């Protein structure tokens, strides 16, 4: 579970940081990234220079400053959520089996599991808020 969460969250973190810091730039190693940017409307507010989109939307790009702000804000929210998922899957301890006497399951320290579950629940509510935005 941790490896899958790490892979998916790291890709989400990469794309959301691009949306936050470099909106409208195409990542060459992400397949069909130009279609993603066109679908999200990033070419309207941040057309790449010397492209067809810059010729079509270059003059009207300043009119979409609000869309750019909202896109960067959502990129920040998604980056924060992906970072918390990375921390909850790899950063926090999942407990010690050596606590207490022998292999008694009742004596296992489960602070990392409880912390991760709390963060994932809060994050589900935050993701729902981003979806409603």
């Amino acid at each position: 579970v941790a490896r899958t969460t790490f892979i998916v969250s790291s890709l989400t973190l990469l794309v959301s940081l691009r949306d936050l810091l470099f909106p409208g730039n195409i990542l060459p190693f992400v397949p069909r990234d130009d279609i993603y940017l066109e679908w999200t409307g990033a070419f309207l507010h941040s057309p790449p220079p010397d492209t067809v989109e810059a010729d079509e939307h270059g003059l009207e790009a300043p009119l979409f400053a609000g869309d750019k702000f909202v896109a960067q804000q959502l990129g920040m929210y998604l980056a924060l959520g992906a970072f918390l998922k990375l921390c909850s899957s790899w950063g926090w301890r999942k407990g010690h089996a050596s606590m207490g006497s022998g292999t008694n399951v009742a004596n296992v320290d489960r602070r990392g599991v409880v912390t991760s579950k709390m963060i994932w629940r809060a994050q589900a509510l935050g993701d729902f808020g981003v979806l409603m935005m």
Side-chain angles (χ1 to χ4, degrees):
V1 173
R3 181 176 49 215
T4 304
T5 303
F6 181 76
I7 292 170
V8 172
S9 297
S10 60
L11 289 174
T12 303
L13 185 64
L14 176 73
V15 171
S16 63
L17 284 177
R18 187 273 314 269
D19 289 345
L20 175 64
L21 301 174
F22 308 107
N25 289 344
I26 299 172
L27 298 175
F29 52 87
V30 176
R32 311 304 287 171
D33 192 39
D34 55 340
I35 293 175
Y36 166 77
L37 290 173
E38 186 174 350
W39 179 70
T40 58
F43 288 152
L44 294 176
H45 57 73
S46 301
D50 301 327
T51 60
V52 175
E53 288 83 9
D55 294 338
E56 292 177 0
H57 306 294
L59 291 175
E60 61 190 27
L63 300 174
F64 292 98
D67 290 347
K68 182 177 180 180
F69 173 75
V70 170
Q72 287 179 320
Q73 186 179 16
L74 288 175
M76 181 183 64
Y77 289 157
L78 288 174
L80 182 62
F83 177 71
L84 284 175
K85 280 185 182 176
L86 287 174
C87 287
S88 68
S89 66
W90 285 89
W92 290 303
R93 295 180 297 138
K94 299 296 181 190
H96 296 288
S98 62
M99 289 189 66
S101 60
T103 60
N104 187 358
V105 178
N107 293 331
V108 174
D109 176 22
R110 297 181 49 86
R111 288 181 300 193
V113 173
V114 172
T115 304
S116 296
K117 284 183 181 180
M118 287 173 40
I119 285 183
W120 281 58
R121 284 185 188 135
Q123 197 168 10
L125 291 174
D127 289 346
F128 178 73
V130 167
L131 179 67
M132 290 296 120
M133 190 175 188

